[in-house]
Every structure is written in structure tokens, then in C-alpha cells.
């Protein structure tokens, strides 16, 4: 009889332990599921912040393009002043938007980013010396950032540096190069119009 009671108590203890273990497993599973959902929301938040950051850069570029456009130079002083004030107001409001999206990097990625930016800066510093040469070099850097076969030679050295950067930094480097090349396109068009004002303006008047 005594042995039977002992066995019953042991069975109850085992049962209670098993129940507690299952309960802990359930709680752990629920917590893990909650963390998985939070992770998805965190990534969505970062993507939205990145999109806002890109939109801010795009707006700044568009305003600057209008401010420096040939069309702005070809209108009368009164209209130019009014449009310049509007553009300056919009620029000021755009700059009040602060988007901070930090990229988590290890030491190697940090060094690679600094090296990549330095290589771009070295080219932009010499833009005024030789615009066409600078454009060719920037296109070679941009070619190193795309997966499709580019129509221009790839800067292999820059490509090896970019590959060592964090993925988010790779995207930012590519966007910066695209912005620089677009700005150079606009600058070249402006220079052409200023060099040949009569010819280019007549073509524009004829819709060519």
C-alpha cells in the first residue's frame, strides 16, 4: 500500500513537471512568434525610412535643377525673382525634414564605405578641370554597382570596394553616382545652350 502511494506521488510529480514543461514551451513559442512579427515591422519601418530618405534627396535634386536651369535664366527678372523665392521656400521646407537611418556596419564595412566615398570625392573635386573625363570615370564607378552587363567599362578596383560595403551602403553609393551623373547631364546641356544660344534656342522653339 505504501509503495503504491509512493508510485502515485511520483506519477503526479512527473505529470506536473511535464505540464510545466509544455507550458514553458508554449510561452516560449508565443514570445518567439511575437518577436518574429516585430522583426517584420522593424524591417518595414526601415524600408519606409529609406524611401523617405530617397524622396527627400529627389526633391532637393529637382529644386536645384529648376534653380540652375536654362529656363530660369531665359525669363524676365520679375518672374525669375518670384520663382526663385518659391524654389528657395520649398528648399527650406524640404531641408526641415530630417530622416535618420543608421546602417549597422562592422569595421571592414565601415572602412570600405569611407574608401568608396573618397574615390567618388576625388573625381567630383576635379569636375571643373575636365567635365567629360570626370563623367567617364563616374560612369565606370556606376557600372561597378549594377548587376546587369553595363555598356561602359567597369572600374574593377571600385567594384571590389563596393562589394565589401554593407548592402544598404551599396544602394546609397549607387544613388549618389546616379545623382552626380544626372547633374552633369544638366550641366552639359546648360553649357551647350550658353555656348550656342542662337542655334539651340531656335531648335527649342521648333520643338526639336
Amino acid at each position: 500500500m505504501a509503495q503504491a502511494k509512493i508510485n502515485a506521488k511520483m506519477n503526479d510529480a512527473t505529470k506536473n513537471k511535464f505540464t510545466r514543461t509544455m507550458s514553458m514551451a508554449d510561452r516560449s513559442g508565443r514570445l518567439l512568434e511575437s518577436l518574429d512579427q516585430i522583426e517584420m515591422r522593424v524591417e518595414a519601418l526601415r524600408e519606409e525610412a529609406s524611401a523617405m530618405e530617397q524622396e527627400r534627396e529627389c526633391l532637393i535634386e529637382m529644386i536645384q535643377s529648376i534653380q540652375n536651369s536654362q529656363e530660369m535664366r531665359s525669363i524676365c527678372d520679375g518672374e525669375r525673382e518670384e520663382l526663385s523665392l518659391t524654389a528657395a521656400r520649398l528648399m527650406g521646407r524640404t531641408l526641415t525634414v530630417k530622416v535618420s537611418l543608421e546602417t549597422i556596419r562592422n569595421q571592414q564595412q565601415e572602412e570600405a564605405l569611407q574608401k568608396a566615398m573618397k574615390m567618388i570625392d576625388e573625381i567630383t573635386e576635379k569636375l571643373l578641370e575636365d567635365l567629360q573625363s570626370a563623367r567617364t570615370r563616374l560612369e565606370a564607378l556606376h557600372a561597378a554597382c549594377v548587376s546587369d552587363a553595363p555598356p561602359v567599362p567597369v572600374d574593377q578596383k571600385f567594384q571590389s570596394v563596393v562589394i565589401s560595403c554593407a548592402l544598404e551602403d551599396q544602394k546609397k553609393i549607387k544613388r549618389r553616382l546616379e545623382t552626380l551623373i544626372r547633374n552633369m547631364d544638366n550641366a552639359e546641356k546648360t553649357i551647350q545652350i550658353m555656348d550656342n544660344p542662337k542655334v539651340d534656342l531656335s531648335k527649342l522653339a521648333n520643338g526639336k
Side-chain angles (χ1 to χ4, degrees), residues 88-105:
R89 177 177 60 80
L90 292 174
M91 178 65 79
R93 289 181 61 81
T94 304
L95 293 176
T96 61
V97 179
K98 304 295 182 182
V99 182
S100 178
L101 180 62
E102 296 185 4
T103 301
I104 300 174
R105 312 179 185 92

Side-chain angles (χ1 to χ4, degrees), residues 56-89:
R56 181 180 185 272
E57 293 173 0
C58 181
L59 289 171
I60 291 174
E61 181 183 349
M62 291 172 64
I63 295 171
Q64 289 176 336
S65 177
I66 291 174
Q67 289 175 323
N68 300 322
S69 67
Q70 177 61 24
E71 288 85 352
M72 185 69 83
R73 298 187 183 92
S74 62
I75 59 179
C76 67
D77 292 342
E79 292 178 338
R80 181 167 57 251
E81 181 180 0
E82 182 178 352
L83 292 174
S84 295
L85 289 173
T86 301
R89 177 177 60 80

